[in-house]
Amino acid sequence: MRITAAEVAALSLSIKVALLSLIVTFPLGLLVGWLLAKRTFPGKAFLNTLVMLPLVLPPIVSGYLLLILLGKHGFIGRFIYQTFGIEIVFSELAVVIAVSVISFPLLVRGIVTGMEAVPVELENAARTLGASPIKVFFTITLPMAHRGIIGGTILGFSKSLGEFGATIMVAGNIPGKTQTMALAIFSAVHLGEDVSVYRLVFISTLVAFAAIWLTERFTLR
Amino acid sequence: MADGTKIRLDFRKRLGSFTLEVNCTLEAKVSAFLGPSGSGKSTLLNCISGTLAPDDGEIAFGEEVLYASASKINLPPEKRRFGYVFQEGYLFPHLTVAQNIRYGQPKPRKSSAAIDVLEISEFLQRYPRELSGGQRQRVAIARALAMEPRMLLMDEPLASLDSALKERIIPYLHHVKDTFDIPILYITHAFSEAMALADEAFLIANGTIIANGEPHRLLTAPAAMPIAQLTGVENTLFLPVTASDKARGLILLEIGDQALVIPYTDIGIGEIVPVAVRAEDIIISLEPDLSISARNILKGTIQYLDIKSEYTWLSILIDWHHLAVKITHAARKQLQLQEGSEVYCVIKASAINLLWD
């Protein structure tokens, strides 16, 4: 009944990818969230739509679009391949990109909700007290929006942990290389490895439960 | 005030169908902008503080231009160094009182005149939510002063407090005025606050300054028609309380050597209170001895008589106070009223409103 090496690899890949994705998307999410919550500019509705699109699209479709963009003949993929000699698709990097795109709307949604709740009057008050816009962001907006930011981060992180559709399109399902938890479960079900399925499903459920519970703790009061 | 702290305002700001248009110079230690809600007072203050950009014009503090549409100058709020006290306080809820005070301080320091003057040292370690409304407002004033501003902007700092609390905060404002050598711009819709604090008042209505001057004179001036436009009440008088009779439910105010009776409220003897009477609530009689229920029969002289298309307006002098009275042409003819006529103004006690709010 011991957990197998392949299962450990899938679990650790999921965690590693989710963490890497968080490191990349968090600063970007703060910037985009701040723009959407606090600024008015031309193209705001378009930016919002673009960011939120993966939340509504079937992940398979998002994954397919990424595959087109990032493949060796894709718009971005060709450029990267010719410049750096790196092939993005069917690599760990592809997994990170896939889960980042899919989890980004959840992260941004939480950040926007948190920042929208910070009254602009308080930010203006800070400005009159001599604070630059950057200082206002770090001393007023960010700390006051912390519940929404933490909530969005946890939701986004757990979405990354369990992402399936986009990952399998862009990164495939290569055990030990691009096979995450969700993909390992998919394979185990197909192969009829029931015990493995039970273990992985149990671990996934535990992680999801903990994520939602933590979110509730930080966002509700 | 020295020339270096004169504030020159000459700008316009449109918000929807509303336009604020000001052109004035603030030279007093405490200037008050007095007007009803929606008159543009807060918009004015936001333009001065830099949190809102005017559409065009110029704002200058002494020699320094803060905003000028012609030369595209618009100093951001953090560069203006104007302490701003908001009606709602706007203390930072995630910071303690001490951290709120420190937020704008140019150099961190333990003691501060602001903390002493506002007497807030006891609750420095508390959070804003743990303070009462009055304490919060004192902290807000201290925070604005701790940044060592070159001017203090106050937007109805007492409006969210009940009248008992207001009375307790006003001495602090006096203390601030005496301790800190900076000009103060005070915005209010309450006559009493402008009276209590300001050296010069500007009446503002519908986005325009309609009169300015020393508050007492401004508000008691005979042609204080701006007041009428502001409040819908033509007569505002500032009268001292001479007697208070709770049992009979009356207060006596002194108007010259006569007494004006108004309904009872809890006011100390000797205090000067603003009262308002509508021009149409005053009845003119030629006789003082009337068997009527009205409590006030005041002797006065018609100073001038203004015959308009629908009504006759009288300006009646009682001691040095003027009362505007509106009567019909028929009444004027029947009583044969002329300038210089001696008349009696009959006013029900309940038609006289105290302007405290």
Side-chain angles (χ1 to χ4, degrees):
Chain A
M1 279 298 284
R2 291 210 37 175
I3 189 161
T4 65
E7 287 166 17
V8 171
L11 180 63
S12 52
L13 180 67
S14 278
I15 291 169
K16 180 183 168 190
V17 158
L19 282 174
L20 282 173
S21 154
L22 186 62
I23 289 166
V24 176
T25 54
F26 188 74
L28 191 65
L30 283 184
L31 178 69
V32 172
W34 179 77
L35 284 173
L36 292 177
K38 294 289 179 185
R39 297 272 118 180
T40 42
F41 52 91
K44 182 173 169 175
F46 179 76
L47 176 67
N48 190 40
T49 308
L50 194 69
V51 168
M52 291 305 147
L53 205 56
L55 199 62
V56 186
L57 280 180
I60 288 282
V61 174
S62 300
Y64 181 72
L65 292 174
L66 282 175
L67 191 61
I68 290 175
L69 278 175
L70 301 174
K72 228 201 270 190
H73 305 291
F75 181 64
I76 299 171
R78 185 168 51 198
F79 171 76
I80 301 270
Y81 185 70
Q82 283 167 358
T83 326
F84 305 105
I86 299 171
E87 205 174 331
I88 300 175
V89 292
F90 304 116
S91 71
E92 211 173 280
L93 181 61
V95 186
V96 175
I97 293 172
V99 303
S100 295
V101 167
I102 299 298
S103 64
F104 196 59
L106 292 170
L107 173 68
V108 169
R109 214 52 254 164
I111 292 171
V112 167
T113 309
M115 287 189 180
E116 272 176 346
V118 180
V120 67
E121 291 83 3
L122 283 178
E123 294 164 332
N124 280 340
R127 293 287 299 277
T128 68
L129 287 166
S132 64
I134 303 237
K135 184 180 173 190
V136 173
F137 178 79
F138 283 107
T139 57
I140 307 294
T141 315
L142 212 53
M144 285 192 68
H146 77 276
R147 283 202 206 116
I149 295 171
I150 292 171
T153 305
I154 294 174
L155 271 182
F157 181 76
S158 33
K159 182 76 197 168
S160 299
L161 274 178
E163 212 293 314
F164 176 82
T167 308
I168 204 164
M169 283 302 278
V170 201
N173 186 1
I174 309 161
K177 192 176 174 199
T178 65
Q179 190 180 67
T180 59
M181 277 284 280
L183 299 180
I185 293 173
F186 177 74
S187 297
V189 170
H190 265 250
L191 299 172
E193 293 168 352
D194 287 351
V195 182
S196 185
V197 171
Y198 298 153
R199 268 201 300 269
L200 292 170
V201 165
F202 177 74
I203 294 167
S204 294
T205 311
L206 205 64
V207 170
F209 187 90
I212 293 170
W213 183 75
L214 277 174
T215 311
E216 296 291 305
R217 266 208 61 179
F218 279 110
T219 50
L220 300 177
R221 214 176 172 178
Chain B
M1 287 252 104
D3 272 8
T5 55
K6 262 192 205 174
I7 295 96
R8 170 104 205 99
L9 306 173
D10 177 12
F11 64 89
R12 276 142 301 281
K13 176 69 187 175
R14 229 184 134 82
L15 290 172
S17 62
F18 171 84
T19 307
L20 172 71
E21 187 159 8
V22 288
N23 185 355
C24 63
T25 305
L26 312 182
E27 297 175 84
K29 165 84 177 164
V30 179
S31 308
F33 275 83
L34 186 59
S37 52
S39 58
K41 305 189 300 290
S42 292
T43 305
L44 174 90
L45 220 48
N46 289 334
C47 286
I48 298 174
S49 74
T51 49
L52 191 68
D55 295 332
D56 63 282
E58 194 175 305
I59 300 173
F61 183 83
E63 295 294 305
E64 188 184 351
V65 175
L66 306 175
Y67 170 83
S69 53
S71 43
K72 295 212 159 66
I73 294 173
N74 188 15
L75 214 59
E78 64 268 25
K79 297 264 169 65
R80 297 197 182 191
R81 292 211 298 117
F82 290 164
Y84 199 149
V85 180
F86 301 86
Q87 180 179 341
E88 299 82 359
Y90 292 137
L91 296 178
F92 305 131
H94 60 297
L95 303 178
T96 63
V97 169
Q99 289 168 327
N100 265 280
I101 303 277
R102 267 204 303 273
Y103 194 88
Q105 265 177 351
K107 290 179 215 112
R109 57 186 75 188
K110 277 234 167 68
S111 64
S112 150
I115 293 173
D116 298 337
V117 169
L118 276 307
E119 299 182 315
I120 55 167
S121 54
E122 308 156 48
F123 31 86
L124 282 176
Q125 296 319 313
R126 289 196 218 157
Y127 282 91
R129 62 173 178 276
E130 299 164 337
L131 303 178
S132 71
Q135 291 169 337
R136 265 203 287 273
Q137 221 42 358
R138 274 153 64 195
V139 173
I141 297 166
R143 181 178 70 174
L145 287 167
M147 67 173 287
E148 296 169 22
R150 47 186 184 172
M151 179 173 174
L152 193 60
L153 309 172
M154 304 183 102
D155 185 7
E156 304 242 12
L158 306 183
S160 55
L161 307 175
D162 64 43
S163 55
L165 257 174
K166 268 179 207 167
E167 307 263 324
R168 303 229 310 262
I169 303 287
I170 285 183
Y172 287 105
L173 297 178
H174 275 291
H175 205 165
V176 166
K177 179 180 172 181
D178 297 339
T179 311
F180 294 88
D181 188 27
I182 50 169
I184 299 172
L185 176 50
Y186 192 96
I187 278 186
T188 181
H189 68 276
F191 291 82
S192 52
E193 290 171 33
M195 281 286 295
L197 292 159
D199 305 308
E200 183 172 22
F202 294 81
L203 290 172
I204 181 166
N206 298 318
T208 319
I209 295 170
I210 48 183
N212 66 301
E214 196 248 306
H216 195 278
R217 274 180 204 291
L218 186 65
L219 300 180
T220 52
M225 276 305 134
I227 306 275
Q229 293 165 6
L230 281 177
T231 59
V233 176
E234 290 81 359
N235 296 297
T236 312
L237 304 171
F238 288 81
L239 303 172
V241 179
T242 51
S244 166
D245 188 342
K246 197 170 184 177
R248 290 202 298 156
L250 298 171
I251 291 175
L252 296 187
L253 307 178
E254 186 184 284
I255 176 164
D257 54 3
Q258 307 181 69
L260 186 71
V261 178
I262 65 166
Y264 180 83
T265 40
D266 188 14
I267 304 173
I269 289 168
E271 267 196 70
I272 295 178
V273 293
V275 292
V277 192
R278 287 174 174 277
E280 64 243 43
D281 286 345
I282 300 171
I283 295 166
I284 296 298
S285 162
L286 296 174
E287 301 284 330
D289 302 316
L290 303 167
S291 309
I292 53 170
S293 64
R295 295 330 297 162
N296 294 294
I297 301 173
L298 302 170
K299 188 177 169 186
T301 312
I302 298 179
Q303 207 185 22
Y304 58 82
L305 201 145
D306 186 7
I307 300 168
K308 288 277 195 288
S309 61
E310 288 175 51
Y311 291 99
T312 297
W313 285 87
L314 308 174
S315 176
I316 295 172
L317 190 65
I318 300 172
D319 192 42
W320 60 278
H321 299 279
H322 295 258
L323 277 185
V325 179
K326 190 165 97 173
I327 59 171
T328 58
H329 297 313
R332 169 176 51 88
K333 283 174 191 150
Q334 198 199 334
L335 298 180
Q336 299 180 337
L337 299 178
Q338 291 168 3
E339 288 178 2
S341 300
E342 205 160 84
V343 292
Y344 293 89
C345 300
V346 181
I347 317 168
K348 289 168 70 175
S350 59
I352 304 170
N353 295 306
L354 260 177
L355 284 180
W356 300 118
D357 55 333

